[in-house]
Amino acid sequence: MLTGVTEGFLCCLLGSPPNAVGPLESVESSDGYTFVEVKPGRVLRVKHAGPAPAPSRPPPPDTAQGGRAGLVRCQRRITVYRNGRLLVENLGRAPRADLGHGQGGCEPPAALEVELAEPSGAEGRAHAGGVGSGRRRRTRRPKRTIHIDCEKHITSCKGAQADVVLFFIHGVGGSLAIWKEQLDFFVRLGYEVVAPDLAGHGASSAPQVAAAYTFYALAEDMRAIFKRYAKKRNVLIGHSYGVSFCTFLAHEYPDLVHKVIMINGGGPTALEPSICSIFNMPACVLHCLSPCLAWSFLKAGFARQGAKEKQLLKEGNAFNVSSFVLRAMMSGQYWPEGDEVYHAELTVPVLLVHGMHDKFVPVEEDQRMAEILLLAFLKLIDEGSHMVMLECPETVNTLLHEFLLWEPEPCPRALPEPQEPQLESAEKK
């Protein structure tokens, strides 16, 4: 800790950014790692693994219910009023099913009226209520209305299917190493997996320009990775800040994103950096405080703080980024478009996984997300915290696999209306 303080004071005196290092060399670069240049001079390390390529076979035709297996009709009307109210009306029947563990999906209300949350912190988050709850507002003129009416063909994603790819996106301070248990598990089951290091994290390049770490810059990186590896049915798995990039890709590519999994991702509110935050301090000060920040992350990110958790934190290469990158990442979380309306427009099935001991993301935020989304399951893990995929890998892997295999029950075909018998005329000539 004294070394970090000394280096921080030298940084302040010399005026140079601390820990300004390039990407780490990957020892296993020849074993499943690829370095992708998403932009000139901007290189991301990607873990790409899967089964050996097999001759592609056409998927078997759906015979049940006349080819209607997995077919879902998504009907929703979203009305934004000028007084800041949001009315979400579910016009169709959303499929729900119990995935077997934790809290299962519940039938969504026919209508949900909420107040649009302010993007700055939890104080401005919305509270759900019935259509007729609360005092009636005088101003009820709609600002805009969004109609959603489409059909989604949601199918079971099984291992060794050539058209299925799983994308894993980590959050601030992490790396692709936090997904080790999940990557190994799904590769053994025959899935193709893709896990990138965000810029400035893991072994990816770390530009010393704050603009390189805005939400939009990182989102474009993820778009480039997605377009490079995407196939017909793609599943996005995000953790914490990585959930926002999954939401962005699902909104941009609704025909390519088949399912989404959000792990401790928070509520459906627009991103805006906090003004009063420790991460607004100069990078050299953050460098001095880095041992304290690492300890705070250990206490807040894990349900227990023993030797096992410290080893998991080290193996996962979590919270091991330079103070400059950390400061730029936190101050660059500006995404005003990602509000409740943006999330309510999603028609892709979503699994939300929440560790009940998470001190970064309250469970109320994930519950709020489940209310806004059209097709959502919320699963609670009592023993987990923010880094639940490291703490409870078996439970997380089971939940993820069950969701991949899930498909909605076939929609019953409408029966023809009975016709009245044609009676002959009583008068015969």
Side-chain angles (χ1 to χ4, degrees), residues 47 157 164-168 182-183 186-187 191-195 233-237 404:
K47 176 72 173 181
C157 300
V164 176
V165 183
L166 311 183
F167 289 83
F168 293 82
Q182 287 69 47
L183 298 177
F186 285 106
V187 167
Y191 287 93
E192 182 179 355
V193 299
V194 175
R233 292 186 295 163
N234 304 280
V235 181
L236 307 179
I237 302 105
L404 293 179

Side-chain angles (χ1 to χ4, degrees), residues 83-158:
N83 61 356
R85 302 291 291 182
L86 172 68
L87 178 61
V88 180
E89 298 172 276
N90 295 315
L91 307 178
R93 176 181 174 272
R96 297 286 169 155
D98 188 3
L99 295 182
H101 295 271
Q103 178 180 343
C106 57
E107 193 71 23
L112 181 70
E113 185 175 6
V114 298
E115 185 173 351
L116 289 178
E118 295 293 335
S120 55
E123 293 79 9
R125 297 194 180 277
H127 299 277
V131 178
S133 63
R135 293 181 298 177
R136 178 175 294 180
R137 303 294 184 98
R138 292 183 178 180
T139 306
R140 298 294 294 179
R141 292 179 301 172
K143 183 178 180 180
R144 60 186 174 118
T145 302
I146 304 167
H147 294 274
I148 297 176
D149 190 354
C150 64
E151 287 187 343
K152 301 281 291 187
H153 194 226
I154 305 168
T155 56
S156 175
C157 300
K158 301 177 182 179

Side-chain angles (χ1 to χ4, degrees), residues 179-191 393-394 396-398 400-401:
W179 301 111
K180 181 181 183 305
E181 294 293 334
Q182 287 69 47
L183 298 177
D184 293 344
F185 175 79
F186 285 106
V187 167
R188 286 196 301 269
L189 293 179
Y191 287 93
E394 295 85 3
V396 171
N397 292 344
T398 300
L400 268 58
H401 191 214

Side-chain angles (χ1 to χ4, degrees), residues 379-400:
K379 299 298 174 181
L380 308 179
I381 301 180
D382 295 332
E383 302 80 11
S385 183
H386 193 65
M387 306 299 291
V388 64
M389 61 280 184
L390 292 175
E391 298 171 291
C392 312
E394 295 85 3
T395 304
V396 171
N397 292 344
T398 300
L399 284 175
L400 268 58

Side-chain angles (χ1 to χ4, degrees), residues 398-421:
T398 300
L399 284 175
L400 268 58
H401 191 214
E402 288 179 348
F403 182 64
L404 293 179
L405 298 180
W406 171 81
E407 65 180 23
E409 296 180 357
C411 299
R413 184 182 294 275
L415 297 176
E417 296 183 1
Q419 298 180 356
E420 296 182 1

